């Protein structure tokens, strides 16, 4: 006897979704491309332009605070952080990556909101080019798709006391 399972999956339909994007200006030549990819993906999946809010911060390290403030407004269905961290001679890049990824995860869990990690971490400029709209796709567009899917999945799991 076959039994039907309840399977939940977020639709790729951006209708009515309110999305916040926080962009790091450091390495902005690449981040602009990530933002262009994200905007294009959101609009093509039906998110209205008026429902997309973009904030710019100096570097990836500053993205979590603004993501957190956006989350606290209660006015977004998903948030995306975009940045490009290129490894240098020091440990600076690793430190930024570790802090930012941990912070995104903490904000996401604290606010019950998708916070999508669209920070590209690369060893060199060539890899950054590849991930911001060429050989390896556009990580901004991929982050936008994740935001839409997760926002729609969570709409099927409203927060309520146990019934
Ligand atoms: N910020 C980035 O977004 N990418 C980098 O590659 C980077 N590196 O390598 O230094 C970077 N540094 C700046 C950092 O995010 C902060 O803006 C700065 O430390 C001030 O807090």
């Amino acid at each position: 006897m076959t039994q039907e399972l309840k399977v939940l999956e977020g639709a790729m339909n951006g209708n009515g979704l309110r999305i916040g994007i926080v962009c790091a200006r450091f390495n902005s030549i690449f981040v602009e491309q990530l933002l262009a990819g994200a905007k294009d993906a959101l609009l093509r999946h039906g998110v209205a332009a008026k429902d997309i809010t973009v904030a710019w911060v100096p570097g990836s390290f500053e993205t979590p605070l603004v993501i957190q403030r956006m989350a606290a407004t209660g006015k977004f269905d998903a948030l995306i952080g975009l940045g490009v961290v290129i490894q240098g001679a020091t440990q600076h890049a690793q430190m930024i990556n570790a802090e930012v990824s941990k912070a995104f995860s903490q904000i996401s869990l604290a606010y019950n909101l998708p916070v999508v990690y669209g920070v590209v971490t690369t060893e060199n400029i060539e890899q950054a080019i590849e991930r911001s709209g060429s050989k390896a796709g556009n990580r901004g567009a991929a982050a936008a798709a994740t935001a839409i899917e997760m926002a729609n999945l969570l709409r099927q799991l409203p927060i309520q006391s146990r019934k």
Side-chain angles (χ1 to χ4, degrees), residues 24 26-27 58-62 83-88 92-93 96:
F26 206 100
N27 293 320
S60 294
F61 190 74
E62 282 73 39
V84 173
V85 180
I86 302 174
Q87 314 269 354
H92 197 190
I96 293 170

Side-chain angles (χ1 to χ4, degrees), residues 6 20 48 70 76 108 123 129-130 147:
K6 237 181 229 174
M70 282 183 160
F76 296 97
S108 177
E123 284 166 17
I129 295 169
E130 287 172 3

Side-chain angles (χ1 to χ4, degrees), residues 26-122:
F26 206 100
N27 293 320
S28 65
I29 184 171
F30 303 117
V31 182
E32 290 276 8
Q33 295 310 309
L34 298 180
L35 176 60
K39 274 200 263 185
D40 179 63
L42 292 172
L43 295 173
R44 280 195 293 112
H45 283 97
V47 179
K50 68 169 178 49
D51 290 333
I52 304 172
T53 303
V54 179
W56 283 91
V57 295
S60 294
F61 190 74
E62 282 73 39
T63 56
L65 177 59
V66 179
I67 294 258
Q68 180 170 267
R69 291 293 277 259
M70 282 183 160
T73 67
K75 290 183 176 166
F76 296 97
D77 298 297
L79 299 169
I80 301 168
L82 298 179
V84 173
V85 180
I86 302 174
Q87 314 269 354
T90 67
Q91 299 296 306
H92 197 190
Q94 281 99 315
M95 186 275 289
I96 293 170
N97 290 330
E99 291 304 318
V100 173
S101 58
K102 194 166 53 178
F104 279 20
S105 157
Q106 285 169 349
I107 298 162
S108 177
L109 296 176
Y111 285 91
N112 264 301
L113 196 66
V115 176
V116 183
Y117 188 70
V119 177
V120 174
T121 308
T122 70

Side-chain angles (χ1 to χ4, degrees), residues 28 41 58 85 124 132 134 163:
S28 65
V85 180
N124 50 50
S132 50
S134 62
K163 285 183 178 160

Side-chain angles (χ1 to χ4, degrees), residues 125-145:
I125 286 180
E126 194 182 344
Q127 288 178 351
I129 295 169
E130 287 172 3
R131 286 157 181 73
S132 50
S134 62
K135 210 162 102 182
N138 185 310
R139 291 280 296 274

